[in-house]
Amino acid sequence: MAAARALLDELHNPLQQNSRDHNTYILGRIGRHNVVFACLPNGVMGTLSAARVANQMHQTFERIRFGLIVGIGGGAPSEENDIRLGDIVISKPTARSGGVIQYDFGKTVREGRFKRTGSLNRPPDVLLTALSHLESKHMTEGPELMKYLSEMLERYPRLATRFARPDVQYDLLYDTEYDHILENATCSQCDPGRLIDREPRLLEEPIIHYGLIASGDQVMRDGATRERLRRELDVLCFEMEAAGLMDEFPCLVIRGICDYADSHKSKRWQGYAAAAAAAYAKELLSVIPGNLVISVQKLQPAQNTNTAVDQKKGMYDEPEQTDSKLAVSASLDKTVRLRDSTTGVVCCTLKGHSGSVWGVAFSPDGKLVASASSDKTVRLWDSTTGVVCCTLEGHSGSVLGVAFSPNGKLVASASGDKTVRLWDSATGAVCYTLKGHSDQVLGVAFSPDSKLVASASSDKTVRLWDSATGAVRYTLRGHSNLVTSVAFSPDSKLVASASSDKTIRLWDSATGAVRYTLKGHSNWVDCVAFSPNGKLIASASSDKTIRLWDSATGAAHYTLEGHSDDVYYVAISPGGKLIASASGYGTVVLSDFTTGIVHYTLEGHSGHILGVAFSPDVKLVASASLDKTVRLWSLATGEG
């Protein structure tokens, strides 16, 4: 717990707890995520204790979306996996397991043989895609674990006595058949001839291993048993809590290796191993966009874990509107809703997706609605009848964004499978699969002249594709972190990209060259939009501000402040007089686009607002919220 606390970017004050919750928590922020730390009571271990702590945590923190089980474990080294003390093991699913195996759960069958029964759930996609991202990043750039650990000890020097890395001379792996001499506290009297000879490593930094983890209610401290189970189950380490949580709580297991699960156990490596695991957890959270957290289903009672992430924000579930008669909303309740914008009455609820709906778009003629879902499909619906016209299948990951071409002939879909697909809106046939991104694609947009498709990706790039051929025109590189949003200027000459590196970049769509890098935000930039005349760019940020920039010079015009939470969506009215911003705590702020003076604050939602849109006649504002509703607000005056 001390290591996790020391790695926080910001420590928060305690909150009032449910009367049935007896846990003690540390609250804080890592990157853009609010996190809750809890640990088992002192001296208590096992899967049931972990489940009890998690259940009580959920009584107080009802909005938690997923957890990271962070701590120490006993390594199971082999010729294939050179696991050493201080290394890190991450639970990773296989074809036959969700990543964690409860090795002591099952039944005794004929001849006294023990047969394991059941299986545990795998982590949610948001964590698995983050794993893939980190794996690929570490191959080229290396992990940031040592940087985090160094910063921790620099900030808290007194932790060095417990959490600094021990000397490699204390990393001793004995023959599996050789037991520790029980009367000795250390291995000073153990036979050095029974040590396993291993090549020294060039670098003294943790190696990260991905695979199966064995979990049970007893401490594993026998080398022969460890080896037998390793061979039988193909596991990388042993621990005592995950099996109590995996079926009830979407989580990932991160274990720092402090011993070899044999009788030669020592506490010397426990501090460093725990700190290394916590450092990996911090790096993992740093690559998970806040909006992806909302794709994980809200937990039900009897769920949670040691380190949990509180849902904070989102930017994909948003309404789009092309006329003043209909508003469409995408929701985590797996539906799309069409509302009459005159009366606010729901025209129809479009049901059929088996996963959360991440985005929606109207066709230019208003006859079709496209919806993107985590069930890996896009659905095209008749906006008049609500009937499904066709289901576009082919993506192997969640579909995170969707857009119609301005002429209505094509539908573009962005997916966590690292591709963009272009579909024929009339037949549902795939025209092209655009491959090239090395990580999930978070957003997609057509240029107003229909010639280009822009895609924003977690691989830190924007790609421009020829919509007629599917060929890559340019790969726009320069952002130092994932690209969250992309937009074209009204004349199609500029592309704006927003990034978690706190900048907006303006690119020439004809050459792929960077025009300007807009700096000034102090946190992630979540959304970017052009004004109707293309002269200004609005950017929404997790630093709780909106900034307006001159698209011709890159100069900052002014900053709209006053939000009490992250601003994760921004829209400009068709006439360019009003700017709407959506933030947390259920509010939409309408400000004068020229002066920044606030005209209205629209309150009433019971959850975070994920998107906002103006009707073309600017008489209505539509807002979409995590409370699973769309609200239509009537303005006192509109633009004619």
Side-chain angles (χ1 to χ4, degrees):
M1 190 78 117
R5 176 179 180 143
L7 286 166
L8 283 172
D9 294 322
E10 180 182 337
L11 183 66
H12 294 168
N13 293 326
L15 298 174
Q16 185 174 354
Q17 294 178 207
N18 187 290
S19 59
R20 292 170 292 181
D21 182 1
H22 304 297
N23 295 333
T24 300
Y25 300 108
I26 292 175
L27 310 180
R29 177 181 60 81
I30 292 179
R32 68 184 316 165
H33 301 287
N34 287 332
V35 296
V36 182
F37 293 125
C39 64
L40 298 187
N42 193 18
V44 178
M45 297 181 291
T47 58
L48 291 178
S49 298
R52 188 179 300 113
V53 168
N55 182 41
Q56 292 182 13
M57 179 189 279
H58 184 259
Q59 303 300 319
T60 297
F61 301 97
E62 297 180 354
R63 293 194 305 167
I64 285 173
R65 295 288 166 159
F66 63 75
L68 303 175
I69 306 177
V70 183
I72 56 177
S78 64
E79 290 186 6
E80 297 81 13
N81 297 288
D82 182 22
I83 297 172
R84 307 205 183 180
L85 301 188
D87 283 358
I88 301 166
V89 173
I90 314 297
S91 63
K92 184 176 181 179
T94 66
R96 61 182 179 85
S97 172
V100 174
I101 297 175
Q102 189 170 3
Y103 67 90
D104 59 356
F105 183 78
K107 59 186 178 181
T108 302
V109 295
R110 294 178 60 183
E111 300 177 353
R113 291 183 297 106
F114 181 73
K115 181 179 180 181
R116 288 174 197 84
T117 57
S119 61
L120 300 173
N121 289 337
R122 70 181 184 88
D125 285 348
V126 65
L127 292 175
L128 294 179
T129 54
L131 277 191
S132 297
H133 177 89
L134 270 193
E135 277 193 88
S136 61
K137 176 187 174 185
H138 290 168
M139 288 177 187
T140 56
E141 303 174 23
E144 297 189 63
L145 305 176
M146 300 307 291
K147 183 189 81 170
Y148 291 144
L149 293 175
S150 176
E151 290 173 350
M152 179 187 76
L153 295 180
E154 208 172 279
R155 192 182 312 154
Y156 304 101
R158 65 176 59 192
L159 294 180
T161 56
R162 182 173 179 185
F163 295 107
R165 180 182 175 87
D167 193 275
V168 71
Q169 67 175 313
Y170 299 110
D171 183 357
L172 305 175
L173 175 62
Y174 285 90
D175 184 336
T176 58
E177 301 297 330
Y178 179 67
D179 290 332
H180 180 70
I181 299 175
L182 296 180
E183 59 266 25
N184 292 323
T186 69
C187 289
S188 59
Q189 300 301 312
C190 291
D191 184 1
R194 303 299 296 271
L195 286 169
I196 303 297
D197 188 27
R198 297 178 291 177
E199 290 288 332
R201 286 181 175 173
L202 297 178
L203 298 175
E204 288 191 358
E205 64 179 35
I207 299 298
I208 303 163
H209 308 268
Y210 299 89
L212 300 179
I213 292 178
S215 182
D217 268 317
Q218 55 185 324
V219 177
M220 177 61 64
R221 55 185 313 155
D222 179 72
T225 304
R226 177 206 75 203
E227 180 62 12
R228 175 177 59 81
L229 290 172
R230 183 200 67 76
R231 291 176 179 273
E232 183 180 333
L233 304 175
D234 194 26
V235 294
L236 300 182
C237 82
F238 292 81
E239 60 92 71
M240 295 184 60
E241 290 138 16
L245 298 169
M246 296 297 292
D247 267 355
E248 301 295 334
F249 178 69
C251 56
L252 184 78
V253 186
I254 303 171
R255 292 300 185 190
I257 301 304
C258 65
D259 58 56
Y260 291 116
D262 58 12
S263 59
H264 301 275
K265 281 182 178 290
S266 168
K267 294 184 178 181
R268 187 185 296 271
W269 284 84
Q270 287 184 358
Y272 178 77
Y280 181 91
K282 179 170 183 173
E283 186 171 4
L284 181 71
L285 288 176
S286 74
V287 302
I288 300 177
N291 62 283
L292 294 189
V293 176
I294 64 171
S295 69
V296 183
Q297 185 176 359
K298 186 177 179 180
L299 302 183
Q300 301 302 317
Q303 300 166 352
N304 246 310
T305 191
N306 307 67
T307 304
V309 179
D310 189 0
Q311 174 270 316
K312 187 173 181 182
K313 59 175 296 178
M315 67 182 150
Y316 292 111
D317 292 19
E318 62 197 44
E320 293 192 8
Q321 193 164 316
T322 61
D323 55 42
S324 56
K325 295 181 179 179
L326 285 177
V328 61
S329 63
S331 173
L332 296 178
D333 64 8
K334 307 177 185 178
T335 68
V336 178
R337 293 197 172 200
L338 296 179
R339 293 178 181 267
D340 187 304
S341 62
T342 308
T343 64
V345 174
V346 176
C347 301
C348 54
T349 300
L350 310 182
K351 298 180 179 180
H353 282 299
S354 60
S356 302
V357 184
W358 287 63
V360 289
F362 267 108
S363 61
D365 60 8
K367 293 181 179 180
L368 291 177
V369 175
S371 56
S373 172
S374 61
D375 66 9
K376 307 177 185 178
T377 71
V378 174
R379 291 196 171 218
L380 300 183
W381 315 76
D382 186 302
S383 64
T384 303
T385 65
V387 173
V388 176
C389 300
C390 59
T391 300
L392 312 182
E393 298 176 307
H395 282 297
S396 59
S398 298
V399 185
L400 306 177
V402 65
F404 276 96
S405 62
N407 59 17
K409 294 182 178 180
L410 294 176
V411 175
S413 55
S415 174
D417 66 9
K418 309 177 187 178
T419 71
V420 174
R421 290 198 171 216
L422 300 183
W423 315 77
D424 187 306
S425 62
T427 65
V430 177
C431 300
Y432 300 104
T433 299
L434 311 183
K435 298 180 180 180
H437 283 297
S438 61
D439 209 333
Q440 56 193 353
V441 186
L442 302 179
V444 65
F446 276 97
S447 61
D449 61 11
S450 295
K451 294 180 179 179
L452 294 176
V453 175
S455 54
S457 173
S458 293
D459 66 8
K460 309 177 188 177
T461 71
V462 174
R463 290 200 170 217
L464 299 183
W465 315 79
D466 189 308
S467 63
T469 65
V472 178
R473 287 273 190 91
Y474 300 104
T475 299
L476 312 182
R477 294 185 173 91
H479 283 296
S480 61
N481 212 327
L482 56 88
V483 185
T484 55
S485 175
V486 65
F488 279 95
S489 61
D491 61 6
S492 301
K493 292 181 178 180
L494 291 177
V495 177
S497 57
S499 172
S500 60
D501 67 8
K502 308 176 187 178
T503 71
I504 302 100
R505 289 199 170 219
L506 294 184
W507 315 80
D508 187 308
S509 64
T511 65
V514 177
R515 288 272 189 92
Y516 302 105
T517 300
L518 313 182
K519 298 179 180 180
H521 284 295
S522 61
N523 210 328
W524 288 36
V525 185
D526 301 304
C527 185
V528 63
F530 278 92
S531 63
N533 61 13
K535 293 182 178 180
L536 291 178
I537 297 165
S539 57
S541 170
S542 292
D543 65 9
K544 305 178 184 179
T545 70
I546 294 171
R547 291 193 173 230
L548 296 177
W549 316 79
D550 188 308
S551 63
T553 65
H557 266 236
Y558 53 87
T559 302
L560 303 180
E561 299 177 333
H563 286 287
S564 59
D565 196 11
D566 299 5
V567 187
Y568 46 81
Y569 199 82
V570 63
I572 300 171
S573 64
K577 293 183 178 179
L578 292 176
I579 184 168
S581 54
S583 73
Y585 306 112
T587 63
V588 175
V589 175
L590 298 180
S591 307
D592 189 291
F593 187 63
T594 304
T595 65
I597 296 173
V598 175
H599 287 313
Y600 309 98
T601 300
L602 311 180
E603 298 177 322
H605 280 295
S606 60
H608 283 54
I609 298 173
L610 308 178
V612 63
F614 286 95
S615 63
D617 59 10
V618 199
K619 292 182 179 179
L620 297 175
V621 173
S623 56
S625 171
L626 196 64
D627 65 11
K628 302 180 182 178
T629 70
V630 172
R631 290 196 175 219
L632 297 177
W633 314 81
S634 178
L635 304 185
T637 59
E639 301 173 8

